[in-house]
Amino acid sequence: MEKKSLNHLPECLVLSSANFKHGHLLIVTGEVLTNEVQSILIRFAKVFEHTYTRFLDLQKAEKQARETQVELSLERIRSRVTEMQESSDLFDIVVTMRNEFLSLGHEADYFWHMKWAKDNYEMSMTAEDGGRLGMVITVPKFVHDNIPTLAKWEKSKKPTFVLALDAEDAWDYIENMNTHGHYQLADPNAPTKEDIEHIGGLTFIIARTTHGEIGFSLAGKVPNPPKASIDILVRFASVFDLAYKRFEDLQNSEAQARETQIELALEKVRSQSMAMQHSNELQRVIEGVYERLVELDIEIHACTIITASKKPKELLCWFASNTDQFIKPFRLPNNTMLIIKEFFNGFKKKRETFSKTYSFKEKNRFFNYIFEHTDFRTIPEERQKLALESNVYNVSNTFMGHSGIQLNRYSDKPFSKQENEILVRFGKVFEQSYIRFLDLKKAEAQARKSEIELALERVRARTMAMQHSDELQEASFLLDEQVRALGINTWGCAFNIYGDKESTEWFGNEAGVLPTYTVPHKGIFKEYYDRGQRGETLFVQEFSGEACVAHYEFMSTLPVIGEVLKNLKKTNNGFPNYQIDHVVYFKYGYLLFITKEPVPESHDIFKRFAKVFEQTYTRFLDLKKAEAQSDLIKKEKERLEVALSELKATQSQLIQSEKMASLGELTAGIAHEIQNPLNFVNNFSEVSKELLDEMLEEIENGDMEEVKAIMDDVVQNLEKINHHGKRADGIVKGMLQHSRASGSQKEPTDINALADEYLRLAYHGLRAKDKSFNATLITDFDDTLEKVNVIPQDIGRVVLNLLTNAFYAVSEKKNQNNIEDFEPTVSITTKKDSNKVNISVKDNGNGIPKHVIEKIYQPFFTTKPTGQGTGLGLSMSYDIVTKGHGGELKVNTKQGMGTEFIIKLPI
Amino acid sequence: MKILVVDDEHDVKTLFLQRFRKEIRKGELEFVFAFSGEEALQTLNNMQQEAVLILSDINMPGMSGLQLLEKIKKDFVTPPPVVMMVTAYGDEDNYNTAKKLGADDFLTKPVDFKLLKEKLIQII
């Protein structure tokens, strides 16, 4: 064919088209094609149709293959999601996605997933090489707000967004994240500023998912990244949604399982604390807390419980770990050191949660300090080494009202939010345990207090009842017994009471008591003594090894105790080689408590025993003093008793002499009274004899009339003789009765006869003394009076006394001679007055002056001149009437008019 | 001459009547009795101016013998009666008082009736 130039326009154009299924072949010629050519064209078209169909088929197959690839990728992602066992596997998904993305021929540096929460983004991202997870971080929401286009997109519904940043903007963004983000996992190979500058920026290609985004980054600022990559990312996003759904399901069930685990663990702690019967079981509860936390797969090396100490600037720490050794709670003093300061601060402010990673330096400052200054030094060496050698020190704390828990971790993994939350829950449960512990402790303290009080009371009661100091022997046994009952393991107890040059000691222990012995103020006893004198209250002396043996050797040289100890040596093959003497002082000596081990917590109790004993011993001394005094009093009493009995004898003599005095007064009267009847007896008997002589004469004379008359006279005379004889007899009997000592029996007595008889005796008695005396006697006796049960001579004595006084009164008045026509009158009256008989003796004398009337019944009181009255008359009378007869003795007196005494006797 | 015997003991009357039985029967002596000083004074008043010998006890309730003596000596002057005092208490006080009051004689109990008889007969 002729070569033609396109510049040369043809004269005509012939378009020949051969159609085939998908189009046509077009030939432009200058002339109409020949049929042959036409048929060739048609054949070409046919061939082309075949080729094109094949091309199309190929194309279709290629596309299908690609799609299959994508689908396979997606399928792999899907299957990876299906394999997810834990929610943390979600992080790994980003690695899978990146791998698939690359395998599909797309380019990507980092691949990430970001969950949009309310206030922050939770992001997990691959490492640079993409083969593993590089970073897990929580970023606050405002970090994105600084990039308006990004923020805008997030609020829109557009599926994708490309954020192409130059180096400066990219670094700003990263730094923002570093500053505000919270790393759960940090990528040590994260790009540096230089890296960013080197690659000239960063481009983030982002696709929306149901809960946030996924994305990948490209190096440099790439405003239009390949569409295919973006499309694939969108497809990944939808697959990720599925994965996320599954993740959420897993997370839920995981959370539930975890929750159950945690609840179970807490329940174990709770039940362990509820089972606490004694406060010393708290350490076990604390170890339980540690074990439960470990069971919850929380990586910890130790768990420390913190509680308030007795001192305000101190905390008590209870340590629990996997170590077998029991670590005693140790006191942690406040300090300016950061760890301690933050620790105290947290406790003080009751910070619910506080976790921190301390630097190596801070950590070791802290541990070096507590290993040196606190009891924490007792933890095993390998633990100390672990603490000191660890590079990182992570702590998580929770502080409640009374207690707190600290978790320690020596790995570089900081405590997660979840772990902190779990710790808070443990903290709350433990707080309950601790409150229960405090209650138990309080109850125990109270029980202990009453136990101590009881023991003290027993010793007090025993020593209080002491009558002799030798009873201290027994008391020492009791003391030892009581102290041991308080759980203080004493080997023996003693009382030591100071003397001038030596002290006396009483010792007792479980085995019994030693005989009382004395110890000189020498050697150790001098030291004990001197310390007491210096005012010490407690002295603890430890004897160990040879010193202890030496102490016993010294003791063996002492009398009494020495013998006992020598025997002890023989039986035990030597002396003990260890003991602690606790010497607690009181005013008069000291108590000695011997133990075989240190008992610092019992020192106060020892002091209390000393105090109690001081009280009782003081009382005992007072008692001794009182006894000595009472001996004196007893002697004095005996002396006084002798004096009293002498006085009584004197008194009875006096009373007797009063009787005799009144008898004396009566003697004259009695003499008269007896004389008269005797005279009559004599006279009548004489005259009778004469009459009988006369009668004989008359008989001879035969004057029988006269004889008869004389005989009548003689008979009458004999009656008179008999009458007067009896009269004399009666007087003598009365006299005897009067002088007889009292003690006679009551007998029914004719009061009228008695009154009459004594009236006469009294009158004649006075008359015998004072010849010139005379008085008018008036008697008025109640005839209806029946016999009254009285002691006749006693009542007679009273009547006589009253009459004597009455006569004395009237005679006094008469002797004053200044009253004309004074007729001394004494009257005696008896009168029945319902259930009483009144005997009244009344005179018209001068009456009793007022100042005298109060004294008239006092013994030895008399108004009569010396020698004339004993002063016992009225006193005795009063006693006879009131005490002897249950009656009353009344007196009515009127100055210048007279006096009336009334004896009222019950019938 | 009548003899007035004053004594608070009633049996004195019986005794005198018997002791001086014969004398009374013969009418040699005549007795009048009073049992108290007061009664004696009354008797004396009733006897008017009759010559009387009074024999009185001293120790009597109410008016004593000595009071009676004093009164008799004062009130009964004509003829002055002979008063003989009789007492159980032969002490000097009584004797002197009686003498001072003008007693004519003083007898002590127990009365010696033989002697009294002689004295009475002598006086009368």
Side-chain angles (χ1 to χ4, degrees):
Chain A
M1 272 199 338
E2 168 189 358
K3 202 173 173 174
K4 288 183 178 98
S5 168
L6 282 173
N7 302 344
H8 178 74
L9 290 171
E11 290 161 5
C12 74
L13 285 175
V14 178
L15 301 176
S16 306
S17 168
N19 293 331
F20 61 94
K21 201 179 172 183
H22 306 289
H24 55 266
L25 292 179
L26 185 70
I27 295 174
V28 184
T29 53
E31 59 202 35
V32 175
L33 296 181
T34 66
N35 284 345
E36 190 190 4
V37 174
Q38 278 184 3
S39 73
I40 289 169
L41 185 63
I42 289 165
R43 283 178 69 186
F44 266 52
K46 268 185 185 160
V47 168
F48 186 79
E49 189 182 72
H50 281 299
T51 310
Y52 192 73
T53 302
R54 185 167 161 71
F55 163 74
L56 285 179
D57 283 350
L58 269 173
Q59 208 180 29
K60 206 175 173 183
E62 245 177 47
K63 204 180 168 190
Q64 273 176 350
R66 173 115 190 108
E67 184 56 30
T68 308
Q69 256 189 339
V70 173
E71 279 299 335
L72 272 172
S73 279
L74 293 174
E75 192 49 45
R76 276 196 288 275
I77 292 171
R78 236 178 246 121
S79 85
R80 178 71 190 88
V81 169
T82 322
E83 280 165 18
M84 259 166 53
Q85 293 300 319
E86 292 175 27
S87 53
S88 64
D89 290 345
L90 182 69
F91 305 139
D92 295 342
I93 297 287
V94 292
V95 178
T96 308
M97 282 199 294
R98 183 178 181 275
N99 287 341
E100 294 304 329
F101 195 72
L102 261 59
S103 75
L104 287 175
H106 301 283
E107 196 189 331
D109 280 350
Y110 294 89
F111 224 95
W112 73 84
H113 160 252
M114 194 181 258
K115 183 186 171 187
W116 298 351
K118 200 177 161 237
D119 303 314
N120 53 22
Y121 306 103
E122 290 165 17
M123 186 186 191
S124 57
M125 194 162 79
T126 57
E128 190 207 19
D129 64 8
R132 57 183 177 88
L133 191 64
M135 180 181 83
V136 178
I137 188 174
T138 306
V139 185
K141 202 129 195 178
F142 65 82
V143 171
H144 278 199
D145 290 342
N146 291 349
I147 306 162
T149 51
L150 183 60
K152 198 180 160 197
W153 173 76
E154 277 178 16
K155 281 181 192 116
S156 75
K157 284 183 174 174
K158 285 181 186 159
T160 58
F161 182 70
V162 176
L163 181 64
L165 302 172
D166 58 24
E168 199 182 329
D169 287 346
W171 182 246
D172 278 355
Y173 176 61
I174 289 173
E175 215 173 32
N176 232 349
M177 272 218 282
N178 284 339
T179 314
H180 302 292
H182 178 81
Y183 283 90
Q184 199 175 323
L185 177 65
D187 186 357
N189 301 317
T192 61
K193 197 179 174 187
E194 290 72 31
D195 292 339
I196 305 288
E197 278 165 357
H198 181 73
I199 56 175
L202 282 174
T203 300
F204 303 107
I205 298 95
I206 314 166
R208 194 184 297 277
T209 67
T210 324
H211 300 93
E213 63 181 53
I214 59 170
F216 64 92
S217 66
L218 292 174
K221 189 173 178 178
V222 186
N224 294 300
K227 191 177 178 295
S229 295
I230 298 177
D231 289 345
I232 285 297
L233 187 67
V234 170
R235 293 191 69 184
F236 275 23
S238 63
V239 168
F240 184 84
D241 273 342
L242 175 76
Y244 194 78
K245 177 94 180 67
R246 181 160 169 78
F247 161 75
E248 278 186 329
D249 291 348
L250 267 177
Q251 207 181 33
N252 279 343
S253 63
E254 241 179 53
Q256 275 170 10
R258 183 70 171 164
E259 182 58 30
T260 313
Q261 265 186 339
I262 294 168
E263 268 308 326
L264 198 66
L266 291 172
E267 193 48 45
K268 278 184 187 170
V269 173
R270 210 174 276 132
S271 69
Q272 204 169 11
S273 77
M274 285 316 287
M276 243 192 327
Q277 295 295 321
H278 195 274
S279 62
N280 63 12
E281 294 167 44
L282 183 70
Q283 180 66 32
R284 188 65 212 104
V285 176
I286 289 165
E287 280 160 14
V289 170
Y290 171 80
E291 285 159 16
R292 297 295 87 74
L293 285 163
V294 169
E295 277 171 14
L296 286 175
D297 287 330
I298 296 173
E299 183 200 337
I300 48 172
H301 292 88
C303 154
T304 307
I305 302 280
I306 307 100
T307 62
S309 173
K310 278 175 196 162
K311 292 181 190 166
K313 291 190 170 177
E314 203 177 76
L315 288 175
L316 197 60
C317 302
W318 311 64
F319 182 80
S321 181
N322 58 354
T323 167
D324 287 337
Q325 191 188 323
F326 168 72
I327 308 296
K328 253 181 82 175
F330 65 96
R331 286 169 220 289
L332 180 68
N334 202 347
N335 195 296
T336 52
M337 195 178 298
L338 180 70
I339 293 185
I340 295 181
K341 206 166 79 184
E342 285 181 341
F343 193 59
F344 270 80
N345 204 28
F347 189 83
K348 194 178 156 196
K349 293 190 173 157
K350 295 173 188 173
R351 279 182 83 170
E352 197 174 70
T353 178
F354 168 63
S355 66
K356 189 161 177 178
T357 306
Y358 289 103
S359 71
F360 180 82
K361 203 176 142 195
E362 278 297 342
K363 175 206 69 174
N364 277 17
R365 261 189 82 192
F366 169 70
F367 279 116
N368 282 322
Y369 175 80
I370 65 168
F371 288 149
E372 191 176 337
H373 293 104
T374 73
D375 285 343
F376 195 54
R377 66 174 77 88
T378 58
I379 73 158
E381 213 162 295
E382 73 266 18
R383 293 290 308 193
Q384 297 197 18
K385 221 173 139 190
L386 173 72
L388 290 171
E389 286 177 359
S390 150
N391 281 320
V392 196
Y393 183 51
N394 280 302
V395 296
S396 176
N397 296 291
T398 182
F399 298 104
M400 299 294 155
H402 302 85
S403 66
I405 306 177
Q406 183 181 68
L407 304 183
N408 309 129
R409 178 184 288 169
Y410 297 127
S411 77
D412 58 0
K413 189 176 144 197
F415 282 97
S416 70
K417 195 181 162 204
Q418 287 78 10
E419 286 171 333
N420 290 341
E421 277 167 10
I422 290 170
L423 180 62
V424 169
R425 295 174 69 182
F426 269 79
K428 281 176 181 163
V429 168
F430 184 78
E431 174 78 355
Q432 295 309 309
S433 304
Y434 188 66
I435 286 168
R436 184 171 156 75
F437 161 79
L438 290 179
D439 288 348
L440 274 174
K441 238 181 133 174
K442 208 186 281 174
E444 280 164 14
Q446 262 163 7
R448 178 70 175 167
K449 204 174 144 195
S450 359
E451 258 178 30
I452 293 170
E453 288 295 344
L454 189 66
L456 289 171
E457 192 46 47
R458 284 190 177 130
V459 172
R460 184 183 287 130
R462 179 59 194 91
T463 46
M464 200 67 113
M466 230 164 44
Q467 294 296 324
H468 192 275
S469 55
D470 273 354
E471 289 172 55
L472 283 173
Q473 214 173 44
E474 196 193 317
S476 69
F477 177 77
L478 180 80
L479 180 66
D480 182 63
E481 184 184 69
Q482 289 306 314
V483 172
R484 270 187 292 107
L486 288 176
I488 304 168
N489 202 8
T490 48
W491 178 76
C493 295
F495 293 95
N496 184 298
I497 308 285
Y498 301 149
D500 284 339
K501 284 175 184 166
E502 52 186 21
S503 300
T504 311
E505 207 163 280
W506 295 267
F507 178 89
N509 73 1
E510 227 169 335
V513 296
L514 291 186
T516 309
Y517 55 92
T518 54
V519 292
H521 293 167
K522 277 181 193 164
I524 189 71
F525 295 108
K526 182 169 191 323
E527 187 178 356
Y528 289 171
Y529 176 78
D530 288 345
R531 282 177 181 276
Q533 295 305 97
R534 284 205 295 271
E536 287 189 23
T537 55
L538 170 79
F539 176 59
V540 181
Q541 172 73 46
E542 189 179 337
F543 297 101
S544 184
E546 284 186 10
C548 189
V549 176
H551 173 64
Y552 274 91
E553 292 290 355
F554 168 66
M555 297 275 288
S556 302
T557 63
L558 304 178
V560 188
I561 178 78
E563 295 310 309
V564 176
L565 290 178
K566 277 172 197 162
N567 284 335
L568 188 84
K569 189 182 182 184
K570 244 180 250 170
T571 339
N572 292 2
N573 277 329
F575 284 132
N577 55 13
Y578 186 80
Q579 82 174 34
I580 302 173
D581 278 9
H582 300 83
V583 183
V584 273
Y585 295 97
F586 62 95
K587 202 172 164 187
Y588 311 99
Y590 55 81
L591 298 191
L592 174 68
F593 298 88
I594 302 173
T595 64
K596 294 292 187 187
E597 56 196 13
V599 284
E601 68 284 351
S602 308
H603 291 176
D604 281 345
I605 295 175
F606 292 158
K607 285 185 194 169
R608 291 185 68 185
F609 273 106
K611 196 167 248 175
V612 160
F613 183 69
E614 179 169 275
Q615 288 165 2
T616 57
Y617 195 70
T618 304
R619 190 192 155 277
F620 169 73
L621 290 179
D622 288 349
L623 198 74
K624 288 279 127 192
K625 219 181 281 172
E627 266 173 23
Q629 280 173 350
S630 93
D631 272 357
L632 267 179
I633 290 168
K634 209 169 158 189
K635 276 180 193 145
E636 187 64 12
K637 193 183 160 203
E638 277 164 8
R639 204 182 64 75
L640 286 176
E641 269 169 2
V642 170
L644 183 67
S645 65
E646 279 170 5
L647 192 68
K648 272 184 179 162
T650 311
Q651 192 188 7
S652 68
Q653 278 170 4
L654 276 171
I655 290 167
Q656 194 59 33
S657 61
E658 159 64 23
K659 284 178 192 167
M660 287 306 164
S662 58
L663 185 63
E665 278 169 9
L666 293 180
T667 314
I670 287 163
H672 175 88
E673 285 294 298
I674 290 178
Q675 192 61 54
N676 274 343
L678 285 180
N679 285 344
F680 281 118
V681 170
N682 290 336
N683 279 320
F684 278 116
S685 59
E686 273 176 31
V687 84
S688 293
K689 188 179 172 278
E690 284 172 16
L691 283 174
L692 287 174
D693 287 345
E694 216 175 299
M695 198 170 75
L696 272 176
E697 282 175 26
E698 292 303 332
I699 289 170
E700 281 172 12
N701 291 343
D703 187 347
M704 290 315 285
E705 279 294 310
E706 192 59 20
V707 170
K708 211 179 164 213
I710 293 167
M711 226 159 77
D712 284 346
D713 279 353
V714 173
V715 170
Q716 189 195 18
N717 286 359
L718 287 174
E719 281 169 4
K720 296 278 181 205
I721 288 164
N722 189 250
H723 167 74
H724 288 287
K726 278 184 178 167
R727 191 178 146 193
D729 182 56
I731 289 162
V732 171
K733 271 185 183 158
M735 185 175 70
L736 287 176
Q737 269 186 346
H738 182 84
S739 63
R740 203 183 297 150
S742 61
S744 309
Q745 294 294 312
K746 281 183 185 170
E747 52 188 80
T749 305
D750 183 343
I751 295 295
N752 289 343
L754 183 134
D756 188 43
E757 183 189 343
Y758 279 92
L759 174 66
R760 286 148 64 80
L761 283 171
Y763 179 70
H764 290 300
L766 198 70
R767 282 289 292 266
K769 273 190 188 168
D770 180 3
K771 310 297 173 313
S772 63
F773 174 76
N774 212 332
T776 305
L777 300 181
I778 301 168
T779 56
D780 181 6
F781 295 139
D782 187 344
D783 291 337
T784 66
L785 208 60
E786 286 163 29
K787 287 189 173 180
V788 180
N789 216 24
V790 295
I791 304 165
Q793 57 270 38
D794 279 357
I795 293 301
R797 198 175 287 146
V798 175
V799 171
L800 175 64
N801 194 275
L802 297 180
L803 285 167
T804 307
N805 287 347
F807 286 132
Y808 184 81
V810 293
S811 95
E812 278 280 284
K813 191 172 179 179
K814 185 157 191 245
N815 287 345
Q816 285 167 356
N817 276 335
N818 53 359
I819 301 157
E820 289 287 314
D821 296 331
F822 172 64
E823 199 167 319
T825 306
V826 170
S827 58
I828 182 160
T829 310
T830 60
K831 179 90 189 143
K832 193 176 177 221
D833 177 15
S834 67
N835 58 345
K836 283 194 180 80
V837 55
N838 293 348
I839 307 165
S840 155
V841 175
K842 193 174 175 183
D843 65 62
N844 58 353
N846 283 322
I848 305 170
K850 216 173 179 179
H851 67 274
V852 168
I853 195 129
E854 289 163 3
K855 303 177 189 166
I856 56 169
Y857 296 129
Q858 287 177 6
F860 307 111
F861 176 79
T862 180
T863 57
K864 291 175 187 170
T866 314
Q868 288 199 26
T870 59
L872 288 173
L874 273 179
S875 148
M876 270 172 60
S877 299
Y878 187 80
D879 283 355
I880 289 167
V881 173
T882 57
K883 290 179 190 162
H885 290 84
E888 291 170 274
L889 184 57
K890 298 273 181 192
V891 59
N892 301 315
T893 185
K894 210 167 180 188
Q895 203 80 35
M897 300 295 285
T899 302
E900 180 184 20
F901 278 91
I902 304 166
I903 307 164
K904 290 172 179 277
L905 295 173
I907 297 173
Chain B
M1 192 178 199
K2 281 183 181 169
I3 299 163
L4 174 60
V5 179
V6 189
D7 199 314
D8 59 328
E9 291 273 2
H10 286 249
D11 279 352
V12 166
K13 183 182 175 183
T14 315
L15 188 64
F16 268 77
L17 290 177
Q18 288 193 14
R19 279 287 188 185
F20 296 100
R21 196 173 188 272
K22 280 182 188 166
E23 288 75 14
I24 294 165
R25 265 175 66 178
K26 287 175 190 163
E28 288 171 9
L29 296 171
E30 191 185 352
F31 288 94
V32 180
F33 296 93
F35 300 107
S36 71
E38 292 83 353
E39 198 185 339
L41 287 176
Q42 214 171 346
T43 311
L44 280 176
N45 281 334
N46 291 343
M47 287 161 77
Q48 302 287 329
Q49 298 295 320
E50 216 168 331
V52 167
L53 186 146
I54 299 163
L55 197 64
S56 176
D57 188 15
I58 290 177
N59 213 351
M60 285 185 297
M63 186 183 284
S64 75
L66 293 173
Q67 282 171 308
L68 179 64
L69 169 65
E70 194 179 6
K71 247 184 154 39
I72 291 168
K73 286 298 175 185
K74 204 175 100 194
D75 297 345
F76 300 89
V77 201
T78 45
V82 178
V83 185
M84 297 173 79
M85 300 308 290
V86 185
T87 178
Y89 317 105
D91 57 304
E92 282 197 18
D93 272 2
N94 269 338
Y95 181 81
N96 291 338
T97 312
K99 279 290 179 193
K100 206 173 88 191
L101 291 172
D104 298 280
D105 207 346
F106 196 85
L107 298 175
T108 30
K109 288 188 179 179
V111 175
D112 185 339
F113 277 93
K114 239 180 208 169
L115 188 69
L116 177 64
K117 208 179 268 179
E118 281 169 13
K119 280 191 177 179
L120 288 177
I121 289 166
Q122 198 188 333
I123 291 164
I124 295 164

